[in-house]
Amino acid sequence: GASCGPVPGCNAFDDVPLGSASRLALQFPLEERKTGVSLVDVWGKRKNGGQQIMSLIDWNAMSAPWLNAQAGLEATHQVVLDGLMRRMGDLDGQRILDIGCGTGASLLALADAVGPTGYVTGVDIAPPLVARARERAPDHVEVVVTDASAMPFPARHDAALCLLGTMFFGDTRAAFAHICKGMQPGARF
């Protein structure tokens, strides 16, 4: 996997197929979201305050289709998660940050990989998704509602994983630089 250092141009996961997940995300029409602010609005303005717009989104309405389709989404994303987990290598006993943990599929995989002596911190900006992830999380997993691109880091992590959440960062380079501050030197990302 990649390591924390210069992040721009990172291509650590080039061999993981992402097309099906991207196509699935586009299946949620704006009228189903009923948020007043669409992800298209956010992405269109990401270089000019996209994160501020993210705070305006009605996450209850935005999360409802994802919660309703949880089983199908997790099945669709499983091939990507499997590829990421292979790239992560041996995680036994490590502290892992799961960025954009959603409903918790990646949290469960990471919790299993770190074992009872490890610890996983899952973060997501959507409170309803965090609530679902907390329902599923074992004792050595903490799930927090926060913006990973600006969150405080009470502990340094040995590795970070992000299944599909980086597309929500307003400034991807700044977000990765910030996240690397919460990582141990040489951490995998």
Side-chain angles (χ1 to χ4, degrees):
S3 64
C4 281
V7 176
C10 176
N11 60 358
F13 306 109
D14 282 348
D15 64 334
V16 177
L18 297 175
S20 61
S22 298
R23 283 192 305 276
L24 188 60
L26 296 174
Q27 292 178 7
F28 294 110
L30 180 59
E31 57 273 9
E32 280 186 36
R33 298 185 199 130
K34 298 177 183 164
T35 63
V37 178
S38 75
L39 291 180
V40 174
D41 294 333
V42 173
W43 289 329
K45 299 174 183 174
R46 60 188 288 176
K47 292 190 176 166
N48 297 314
Q51 285 306 110
Q52 293 170 345
I53 294 170
M54 295 299 278
S55 68
L56 300 176
I57 292 176
D58 176 349
W59 287 108
N60 289 321
M62 184 66 78
S63 299
W66 295 92
L67 291 168
N68 292 336
Q70 178 181 339
L73 288 169
E74 289 181 1
T76 300
H77 297 159
Q78 190 62 50
V79 66
V80 178
L81 180 56
D82 290 346
L84 290 171
M85 292 302 295
R86 277 192 304 277
R87 287 290 186 108
M88 296 292 285
D90 181 20
L91 299 176
D92 189 45
Q94 295 189 18
R95 296 183 65 85
I96 311 297
L97 177 64
D98 185 0
I99 302 161
C101 65
T103 57
S106 51
L107 283 173
L108 297 176
L110 289 167
D112 185 52
V114 301
T117 61
Y119 196 79
V120 180
T121 302
V123 299
D124 201 288
I125 198 168
L129 301 181
V130 167
R132 179 70 54 88
R134 284 179 179 154
E135 292 170 3
R136 305 169 73 188
D139 289 341
H140 61 295
V141 172
E142 175 186 21
V143 191
V144 181
V145 176
T146 192
D147 176 352
S149 68
M151 69 180 278
F153 292 101
R156 302 201 26 118
H157 297 85
D158 300 303
L161 178 135
C162 183
L163 182 58
L164 295 169
T166 60
M167 64 188 153
F168 294 105
F169 291 145
D171 182 336
T172 306
R173 285 184 182 203
F176 283 133
H178 174 75
I179 291 165
C180 280
K181 292 176 188 174
M183 307 301 289
Q184 297 284 359
R188 291 167 300 189
F189 192 178

